[in-house]
């Protein structure tokens, strides 16, 4: 079992809708969680990070963390075609390196 | 704002050749990470350096080596290249104490033919 599990998608949503991306992780000791966006052939770009249980909002993005369920999610409100990309979930392990999931491909239909 | 600089952007090598990838981290960042990403795959951790010392090692083949220099730039040396080494190689840097994740460079696309 991978340390970080994500549905590979593609997740297809219409423009203006809410896109919900989910991620589960296996390391109960994990404290820091990250969402990166990656366009094809480009480098990952940090979208959000979250440390505490609950929600964290930044513009159209909301990260949600539930440590008891070992679950982290990313909501994208008012989805735009430019949001179409692969979204990588990651956690920071005990040696401070990021462990990535395989990513969820999001497709926002105009 | 300064970003993580990687060079070259693209590199084509033949099997059994050697390649050197360079990474210049964001100024004042104390940690450098190297990742390999194959087509359709997630980034795989190779190796990291903290304050110029190797801090962690992942799935890095013995044919690969890396180091961080006094000016904090890092180089990934890859020898006896194989077709399967063709991938995107990302360098990332961070300031460990902040715990705010890290910033990736634009990557080097290595093609082994």
């Amino acid at each position: 079992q991978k340390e970080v599990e994500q549905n590979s998608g593609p997740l297809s949503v219409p423009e203006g809708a809410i896109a919900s991306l989910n991620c589960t992780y296996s390391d109960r000791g994990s404290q820091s969680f990250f969402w990166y966006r990656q366009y094809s052939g480009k480098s990952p770009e940090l979208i959000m990070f979250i440390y505490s249980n609950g929600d964290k909002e930044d513009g159209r993005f909301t990260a949600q963390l539930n440590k008891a369920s070992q679950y982290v999610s990313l909501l994208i409100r008012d989805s735009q075609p430019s949001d179409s990309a692969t979204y990588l979930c990651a956690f920071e392990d005990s040696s401070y390196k990021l462990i990535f999931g395989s990513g969820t491909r999001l497709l926002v239909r105009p | 704002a300064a970003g993580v600089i990687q060079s070259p952007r693209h590199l084509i090598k033949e099997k059994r050749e050697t390649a050197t990838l360079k990474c210049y981290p964001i100024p004042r960042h104390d940690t450098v990470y190297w990742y390999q990403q194959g087509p359709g795959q997630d980034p795989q951790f190779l190796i990291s350096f903290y304050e110029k010392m190797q801090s962690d090692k992942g799935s890095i083949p013995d044919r690969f080596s890396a180091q961080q220099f006094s000016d904090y730039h890092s180089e990934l040396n890859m020898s006896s290249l194989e077709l399967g080494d063709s991938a995107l190689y990302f360098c990332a840097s961070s300031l460990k104490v902040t715990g705010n994740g890290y910033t990736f460079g634009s990557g080097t696309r290595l093609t082994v033919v």
Side-chain angles (χ1 to χ4, degrees), chain A residues 36 38 43 51 95 97-98 101, chain B residues 35 37 42 56 99-100 102 105:
Chain A
Y36 281 81
Q38 187 175 28
S43 60
Y51 308 138
S95 62
K97 69 177 182 287
L98 293 186
Chain B
Y35 281 79
Q37 188 175 30
D42 52 300
D56 204 350
N100 291 344
Y102 28 88

Side-chain angles (χ1 to χ4, degrees), chain A residues 45-59:
Chain A
E45 173 192 1
L46 182 64
I47 299 294
M48 296 275 292
F49 58 86
I50 185 167
Y51 308 138
S52 305
N53 276 326
D55 295 0
K56 179 182 178 183
E57 187 175 317
D58 183 1

Side-chain angles (χ1 to χ4, degrees), chain B residues 60-109:
Chain B
I60 183 170
D62 291 341
R63 299 177 290 107
F64 294 7
S65 65
Q67 57 183 323
Q68 188 176 29
F69 296 86
S70 57
D71 64 352
Y72 287 86
H73 94 273
S74 178
E75 294 183 2
L76 177 66
N77 298 293
M78 310 159 69
S79 62
S80 303
L81 288 169
E82 302 173 356
L83 295 178
D85 296 329
S86 297
L88 273 168
Y89 290 84
F90 292 111
C91 171
S93 74
S94 73
L95 185 59
K96 183 175 284 189
V97 67
T98 64
N100 291 344
Y102 28 88
T103 302
F104 283 86
S106 299
T108 294
R109 180 175 292 283

Side-chain angles (χ1 to χ4, degrees), chain B residues 1-21:
Chain B
V4 178
I5 306 297
Q6 288 188 250
S7 66
R9 291 296 302 275
H10 302 274
L11 191 58
I12 299 175
K13 291 286 186 177
E14 294 187 355
K15 283 192 304 183
R16 292 179 289 278
E17 283 193 317
T18 297
T20 297
L21 280 53

Side-chain angles (χ1 to χ4, degrees), chain A residues 20-25 64-73:
Chain A
S20 177
L21 305 162
N22 305 313
C23 171
T24 57
Y25 60 94
Q64 299 174 317
L65 175 60
N66 183 326
K67 291 186 180 180
S69 300
Q70 295 175 250
Y71 176 91
V72 59
S73 66

